[in-house]
Amino acid sequence: MSKSIFIDTTICTACRGCQVACKQWHDLPAEKTINVGSYQNPQDLSFDTYKLVRMKEEIINGRLEWLFFPDQCRHCVDAPCLETAFDENAIYRDPATGAILYTRESKKLDAEEITGSCPYNIPRKAMDGVLAKCDMCNDRIHNGLQPACVTACPTGAMTFGDREEILAFAKKRLGKVKQKFAKAMLLNPDEVNVIYLVGFDPQLYSDYAVASSDRGGLSRSVALRKMMGPFAKMMRV
Amino acid sequence: MTNHWIDIRNSDCILIMGSNAAENHPISFKYVTQAMEKGAKLISVDPRFTRTSSKADIYTALRSGTDIAFLGGMIKYILENNLYNKEYTAAYTNAPFIVGESYGFNDGLFSGYKKGGEEGPSLGSYDKSKWAFEMDGNKVPKMDRTLKHKRSVFQLLKVHYSRYDLDTVSKVTGTPKEDLLEVYKTYAATGATGQAGTIMYAMGWTQHTVGTQNIRTMAMIQLLLGNMGVAGGGVNALRGESNVQGSTDHCLLWHIWPGYLKTARASNDSLDAYNTKWTPKSQDPLSANWWSNYPKYSVSMLKSFFGKNATKSNQFGYNWLPKVDDGKAYSWFDIFDDMYKGDISGFFAWGMNPACSGSNVSKIRKSMENLDWMVNVNIFDNETGSFWKGPDKDPSKIKTEVFMLPAAVFVEKEGSITNSGRWMQWRYQGPKPLGNSRPDGDIIMELGHRIKEKYKTSDSVFKDPIVNLKWDYETNGTYDPHKAAKEINGYFTKDCTVKGKQCKKGTLVPSFAWLQADGSTSSGNWLYCNSYTEKGNMSARKGQKDAPNNIGLFPEFAWCWPVNRRILYNRASVDPQGRPWDKKDWVVKFAGEVKDGKYVSKKWLGDVPDGGWYPLENPDGSKRKDAKHPFIMRKHGHAQIFGPGRADGPFSEHYEPLECPVEKNYFSSQMVNPTAVVYSSKADAHATCDPRFPFVGTTYRVSEHWQTGLMTRPQEWLMELQPNVFVEMSEELAKLRGIKNGERVNVSSARATLECTAVVTKRFKPFTIGYATVHQVGIPWHYGWRWPSTGTEESANLLTPPAGDPNTRIPETKAFMVNVTKL
């Protein structure tokens, strides 16, 4: 059964404990940053930064809102990157958790094709061509722990569990949040395993908060493979 | 905190003002969020829109240093709209007390004012006897429970704050009138019976020349609304370190001894004189006047310090303790002022980084040059230990010898911390200390042994205090935190009978109610007596069961002072007959048996009550003679809306910060707190209403760093998040100065210039003060030249002013004047 993470941005305080916990668990190096006039840092996801709290100041209905969006891989139910790679040694799904995982073999892939296939603009390439992104802390999950980011969250903005339960929880939560945020919505809940709840127009949080129509989608070769289903693998189309 | 962290979830309205809880106390937001899920309103009042504000139902801004104006307006609103809790105010506060005729207030000054101070740099002082209550023939304060007497505290309060009208408040604070009204209306709704409002504050309120009165004003509001003692209420100081509460309890500050006993003055020339001076007396049989036990606590403390060497014949060693000169202050400010003048030649900087953390650090760094030696006890080298090679220093000209003693970090040692909610929590050792670093306890123990040895063999003057000091908190040659914890709790020092029970010499005292003034008990800190008893180490408990009222007291988890009472003043949460105001989230309730309309047995349920006496009234409404008023730590048993003990007045009053942007105080002709302390050495420059420094400045923290950054600046993952010292400013100010977002700029004050990265943001807006536009900027104070190694990220305390509150001498780092210019 797939696992899912629910991220309720309406109660996220952007303390960024998740961002640091992610680096700590994965032993990722700090990037050399400078303050460019915003608290958000680093400026974008990278090979060394799997999780990034995006911060935006927006005037909405005459009121200032500081929007926080802890961005990370959505671990799609049907993952375009996995379909595009079509190489289980490079990108595969852990059937036990549903986590989409990248290996060092990913450097043999066409990186641009993979990153371009992601509707959420997540995977990033190292100098040597290896691709990386959030792995849902798959190793922690197999050891009975929750993902590091979920454990670090002080307000309970992140919840982890079985997909069905999380989906039900997310929908229930949406009902409640709508009392305060009329335009609240879940982002692509049927398509992803990292389900965001936002209070305002998702485009305000990040260009890729919801699946972007100008990215991803299926290339002709991937569409063909999908159509052929299990035979595709045998034929290595 | 009068309440505690978990209790925030019981609140109906949370005011976060003078703090930025989401950023600086992130875990607290777990409970804020839980309260909001249950429908609580969150109000954020801050000069700048913060991460806390981003979660608030109501956000509004005020100019730094104008909190009393803002809150004074709320008092006026509460009184004029009859929103105060009448029963509570009349029964439990000193609102009914009659103030003597010599009290007066005119044009910003209370009666009894005298310019200039006995205590060094004070601007002035008051003869507080002018503010005394009128007493009846039995020496009990005269009261009018109808609150109608024209000299009752209540009526004086009304008159005092009648001047805080919306127009004037808005003109001073810069807060729009409609915002003021919305905040007042929302918060005042907690005056309804069964509703609770809480305040979460921190340094944004304390670090002003009116810091104490900021808190007093809110305490007055909480009393008027009946929010003290109840679940989800209280006055809650969010402490800035895990153990600030503990260190304060154990006499970190110069003017108090452990457990908030007074530091002896030179004029307290005997133990009797000391005890007589500081033991309050009440003739009211209904006042518990708990401090009447003072001599039991002071003598038990002396027994703890000097052990068997403390005897009745030598006044338990009272004369061995250092006394402070009458009229002289020894605060942080004063220490460095003395050091600057060359009066201090040796200095221990222990777990502190004054070269970055004090106000006006240029003076502090300069004063260190006058030292012969400094011992820096810390986990890393810092700007203090390396001051001699800091910016603008010539090491060849500095004689100070610096010794670095590497200390173990908190996870490497066993012991307790006391959190903001007064919970003493035991921590165990994790990894062993690295290299030659040692726990603070070991360093102190060895230092003590060496000093004692020196004094024993030399013919030094006045060696009694040193050689007679009890110094035996070790097991197998290393510091034993259990021995120290037991000493703090206290022992019976001889076989004795207390409360009809046989107590055996050498056993631990069960609670402070058992402490004696005859030397038969010891206790290093009476407030902690009950924390480590014959039942074991109470602070190490991990019980997960809640109390029957199910409000998150968790009485078997850790231990809380005093006597495990989780909510202070909790007998004010019940009506005079002992029935909770709030039936759902009740804290305590009286459950004694009733016969013929009278209580005939004593029983309280819920939290540990503030004394287990009978309620003030029987169920039939008759008054009881054996009851006690609920505010047992006050001499007269009533909470103080009128506070005649404060240095700057019994009510609060708006004064401008020492450095301010306005030439006029709209409330009176007194510009600055007339009792503020202002230092005036060559290194203590200040400038008010000076066109060179046109913008209000303030300092604050961010989530990503801690204190002076000593533990966080070397941490690369945190530096990745907040790499540079920055100055936040409005888009309007940036435009005015031609500053682009992200560029480096200079921020200067009368003291120094600091280079910062400009963060131009919608979260700061210009204020309209009077009829003028006033800009404000803010800077985090977590940085210092020592790290990062570029040396470019310096301390914001280079800019902060040399002035402080007259009660505490806390510096005014939250409101001063600066300029911002392009590099």
Side-chain angles (χ1 to χ4, degrees), chain A residues 41 49 57 65-66 75 101 114 120 171 177 198 200 224:
Chain A
N41 237 334
T49 301
E57 293 166 20
E65 304 286 349
W66 202 357
H75 298 278
L101 302 166
I114 301 298
Y120 305 99
K171 285 176 179 159
V177 168
V198 293
F200 303 100
L224 180 63

Side-chain angles (χ1 to χ4, degrees), chain B residues 410-415 427-433 439:
Chain B
F410 66 97
V411 294
E412 296 170 338
K413 58 193 182 188
E414 187 174 7
R427 291 175 169 181
Y428 298 95
Q429 185 183 42
K432 297 261 185 287

Side-chain angles (χ1 to χ4, degrees), chain A residues 48-110:
Chain A
D48 292 326
T49 301
Y50 303 165
K51 180 134 189 166
L52 173 72
V53 180
R54 298 186 187 276
M55 303 166 124
K56 290 274 194 68
E57 293 166 20
E58 296 287 344
I59 307 284
I60 304 171
N61 302 324
R63 222 179 105 121
L64 175 60
E65 304 286 349
W66 202 357
L67 305 176
F68 307 132
F69 193 80
D71 203 1
Q72 64 170 90
C73 171
R74 311 297 199 275
H75 298 278
C76 298
V77 175
D78 286 311
C81 62
L82 183 147
E83 308 267 6
T84 304
F86 199 56
D87 178 355
E88 287 189 341
N89 292 323
I91 299 181
Y92 67 103
R93 178 190 306 279
D94 180 341
T97 61
I100 307 294
L101 302 166
Y102 288 13
T103 72
R104 287 201 65 79
E105 296 293 304
S106 59
K107 77 171 164 192
K108 295 179 183 157
L109 301 172
D110 178 341

Side-chain angles (χ1 to χ4, degrees), chain A residues 9-16 19-20 23-24 27-39 41-42 49 55 57 59 63-66 68 154-155 173 176 180, chain B residues 22-23 26-27 29-30 33 36-37 48-51 54-57 700 702-704 716-724 726 728 741-742 757-763:
Chain A
T9 62
T10 67
I11 55 172
C12 168
T13 55
C15 72
R16 302 194 277 184
Q19 200 176 316
V20 175
K23 291 232 158 174
Q24 186 177 22
D27 206 9
L28 293 168
E31 298 184 38
K32 287 266 174 275
T33 59
I34 57 161
N35 187 325
V36 297
S38 155
Y39 283 23
N41 237 334
T49 301
M55 303 166 124
E57 293 166 20
I59 307 284
R63 222 179 105 121
L64 175 60
E65 304 286 349
W66 202 357
F68 307 132
T155 60
R173 183 75 195 142
K176 170 129 199 198
K180 207 164 185 171
Chain B
E23 300 195 38
I27 310 295
F29 247 66
K30 177 175 174 177
T33 305
M36 292 178 81
E37 292 300 310
R48 154 195 76 130
F49 187 101
T50 65
R51 283 179 256 191
S54 79
K55 292 287 149 308
D57 295 292
Y700 38 69
V702 296
S703 308
E704 296 81 6
E716 291 182 335
W717 290 323
L718 298 174
M719 281 306 272
E720 177 191 78
L721 298 173
Q722 290 287 14
N724 304 104
F726 58 87
E728 283 178 291
N741 192 24
T757 302
V759 171
V760 179
T761 172
K762 292 179 167 50
R763 295 179 294 97

Side-chain angles (χ1 to χ4, degrees), chain B residues 131-150:
Chain B
W131 313 334
F133 297 119
E134 267 185 22
M135 297 293 187
D136 66 15
N138 297 319
K139 294 187 178 167
V140 175
K142 285 189 192 165
M143 300 180 206
D144 172 16
R145 298 269 185 205
T146 69
L147 309 182
K148 289 193 177 121
H149 191 289
K150 79 172 180 15

Side-chain angles (χ1 to χ4, degrees), chain B residues 764-783:
Chain B
F764 249 128
K765 294 302 274 184
F767 294 99
T768 304
I769 305 298
Y771 303 97
T773 298
V774 171
H775 294 277
Q776 182 167 348
V777 302
I779 309 157
W781 60 276
H782 300 293
Y783 297 86

Side-chain angles (χ1 to χ4, degrees), chain B residues 155-189:
Chain B
Q155 294 300 330
L156 295 177
L157 179 81
K158 258 190 170 169
V159 173
H160 188 82
Y161 291 102
S162 64
R163 303 173 299 123
Y164 286 71
D165 59 273
L166 284 178
D167 285 324
T168 313
V169 171
S170 179
K171 221 153 61 170
V172 169
T173 58
T175 312
K177 281 191 271 187
E178 54 277 16
D179 285 13
L180 289 170
L181 269 178
E182 194 187 8
V183 173
Y184 294 169
K185 192 173 162 201
T186 307
Y187 197 78

